Amino acid sequence: MHENTIQELFHRYLQGATTPEEEQQLKDLLREKQDDEALAALLKEEWEQLSEADPRFSSYDVAASWRKIVDPEGRQPARIRALRRWGWAAAAAVLLALAGSAYLFRSSPDLPPPVITAHKNDVPPGGSKATLVLGDGSVVSLDSAGNRLISQGNTAIRQTGGQLRYEGEGNAAEVTYNTLTTPNGGQFKVTLPDGTQVWLNAASSIRYPTVFAGEKRVVEITGEVYMEVARRLQKGGRSAGPFVVKVHTASGNSSEIEVLGTHFNINAYNDEPAVKTTLLEGSVKVTSGSGHTSVLKPGQQSQINNGGAIHIVEQVNVGAVIAWKQGYFSFAQTDLRTVMRQIGRWYDVEILYEGNVPQKKFGGAIPRDNNASEVLKILELSGVHFRIEGKKIIVTP
């Protein structure tokens, strides 16, 4: 069949207009032509054109959608089941992958999913859970089921599911500090007293005052957080002092980020080689513990190593950086050990390696609400193998 006909079927599939027979015909044709790079580029261009015209196509999940659309069990029309959860863009991504795109996790042209190593048990995904330490030392356990009002002097804190919100301005004469901490396998969102929104990834924390009374708004974080800083105005509409984030790691690789009305992500885990600050919107000034400074523009990422030097990466894939906030793992030529550190934190498991594990690179996205075995099945398409033993995941060649 001519490539134009495949392209037409592909376009109709994305619009949900194909019949079941046409759908199967398209999949069969794409399997036959999976190594046709010209066709892959043609379909990629088709998807990009649709993504510009329709926001539903603006992001996609490749690896997870593979098992949704190419369903070996055939329990119901796979496209309906996939689109109900992942959207039209997921279908586009998988068809691109079938055509030979590099986005799909796979190690051979044999597209039917391989037989995966059986796991003795499984590990559920993380969820909304955290611990809030109040100014008087009281500890409040939080989870997704919570719905309450927490009183702390003149400060009211409302929990709704996996979110906290500070209500009212509080009393500047009674400033205390609270600390919100997520465990491995936990995440949480908090709206600070000034309206700044903070998302905490697993194994992270933020310490902040119940009232921002000084010229600067200062908070301290560990782990990984995404922030949307509220602009603070003085009387007359003039901008108030800056918002400052102090970053701490166990290795002493500290830094300070000075911001004013901006969106950014900080990754400062102790087991990562650098403290990474990625700017999505606005402007930030990054200062390392050794005194080096750099001002970031949107799309840039600063990386501070243990020596305090700052390296700037241009045109970062910011969607991949904040994918955790949207409920995904997202990899872009990411090495195996980095991938497994993310999995270890989210599933609260220990990662062990056996034998000569290959140096693989991964690209694509996987939803974080799957059990660990489902994520490992997708990764195993690359030729790496895993087994789960209790709270351990063992990586093997």
Side-chain angles (χ1 to χ4, degrees):
M1 182 175 289
H2 195 276
E3 287 181 0
N4 287 342
T5 305
I6 298 178
Q7 186 180 16
E8 179 182 354
L9 282 172
F10 178 67
H11 183 91
R12 282 166 43 76
Y13 181 92
L14 295 180
Q15 302 295 343
T18 50
T19 65
E21 292 75 19
E22 290 173 329
E23 204 172 297
Q24 188 59 52
Q25 180 186 27
L26 176 60
K27 291 177 183 178
D28 292 340
L29 288 167
L30 289 172
R31 285 190 179 93
E32 293 174 8
K33 293 179 172 290
Q34 62 185 283
D35 295 320
D36 187 334
E37 295 183 2
L39 176 60
L42 185 69
L43 298 185
K44 184 174 186 293
E45 181 180 357
E46 174 79 16
W47 177 84
E48 289 174 343
Q49 291 175 354
L50 286 171
S51 69
E52 292 177 0
D54 189 335
R56 292 176 302 177
F57 294 89
S58 62
S59 63
Y60 55 89
D61 170 5
V62 179
S65 304
W66 162 258
R67 58 188 173 79
K68 298 288 181 179
I69 294 177
V70 187
D71 179 21
E73 297 181 18
R75 288 166 293 185
Q76 58 173 297
R79 175 171 59 85
I80 295 174
R81 194 170 58 258
L83 300 182
R84 185 174 295 154
R85 185 172 183 185
W86 304 115
W88 293 104
V94 171
L95 287 175
L96 287 172
L98 289 173
S101 168
Y103 288 109
L104 181 66
F105 292 107
R106 65 188 181 98
S107 58
S108 75
D110 299 319
L111 285 174
V115 176
I116 304 300
T117 304
H119 300 292
K120 294 181 180 178
N121 52 21
D122 208 343
V123 182
S128 295
K129 50 189 171 183
T131 299
L132 176 66
V133 179
L134 302 176
D136 62 1
S138 301
V139 178
V140 182
S141 296
L142 309 170
D143 59 34
S144 60
N147 191 348
R148 69 182 105 176
L149 186 65
I150 305 168
S151 296
Q152 180 182 220
N154 292 324
T155 302
I157 313 167
R158 184 173 299 279
Q159 181 197 0
T160 305
Q163 302 185 33
L164 283 183
R165 174 180 291 275
Y166 283 71
E167 299 182 343
E169 297 182 358
N171 188 340
E174 298 180 2
V175 178
T176 60
Y177 283 82
N178 290 176
T179 301
L180 183 66
T181 303
T182 55
N184 282 327
Q187 64 182 23
F188 226 80
K189 177 187 176 184
V190 57
T191 301
L192 301 180
D194 67 337
T196 292
Q197 299 182 76
V198 183
W199 288 258
L200 277 71
N201 203 348
S204 304
S205 72
I206 181 168
R207 181 177 183 268
Y208 50 91
T210 54
V211 180
F212 290 103
E215 292 184 2
K216 293 183 177 181
R217 294 172 286 168
V218 182
V219 302
E220 302 174 54
I221 70 104
T222 64
E224 184 168 24
V225 302
Y226 172 79
M227 292 187 174
E228 295 184 355
V229 176
R231 192 176 183 189
R232 187 184 188 191
L233 300 177
Q234 295 178 338
K235 292 181 179 179
R238 186 167 61 88
S239 293
F243 191 102
V244 176
V245 182
K246 294 185 176 182
V247 182
H248 301 290
T249 65
S251 64
N253 186 7
S254 61
S255 61
E256 183 174 291
I257 294 92
E258 183 176 318
V259 302
L260 183 60
T262 190
H263 299 179
F264 61 101
N265 190 85
I266 304 172
N267 184 316
Y269 286 114
N270 293 329
D271 57 357
E272 296 295 338
V275 173
K276 299 178 181 179
T277 301
T278 307
L279 183 65
L280 285 76
E281 179 181 309
S283 178
V284 299
K285 178 182 178 181
V286 179
T287 304
S288 71
S290 60
H292 293 88
T293 64
S294 183
V295 177
L296 298 185
K297 298 177 182 178
Q300 291 183 327
Q301 180 185 86
S302 67
Q303 299 181 357
I304 303 176
N305 61 26
N306 288 331
I310 301 178
H311 173 63
I312 302 299
V313 180
E314 304 284 349
Q315 298 181 337
V316 172
N317 183 344
V318 296
V321 171
I322 66 167
W324 65 268
K325 172 179 168 289
Q326 310 298 337
Y328 295 89
F329 297 105
S330 184
F331 309 122
Q333 287 301 296
T334 306
D335 66 88
L336 176 62
R337 291 182 183 272
T338 299
V339 168
M340 296 312 296
R341 285 197 296 271
Q342 293 185 36
I343 290 173
R345 284 190 289 264
W346 183 238
Y347 290 96
D348 189 18
V349 293
E350 181 182 2
I351 306 298
L352 301 175
Y353 296 86
E354 284 186 356
N356 185 21
V357 179
Q359 300 299 311
K360 293 287 186 177
K361 299 284 187 178
F362 296 87
I366 309 174
R368 301 205 322 171
D369 62 354
N370 286 318
N371 285 346
S373 65
E374 293 299 312
V375 174
L376 299 180
K377 286 178 184 178
I378 296 167
L379 296 179
E380 283 190 325
L381 292 169
S382 70
V384 182
H385 302 285
F386 309 88
R387 69 177 186 270
I388 300 174
E389 295 182 358
K391 295 290 286 184
K392 296 179 181 179
I393 293 177
I394 296 90
V395 185
T396 63

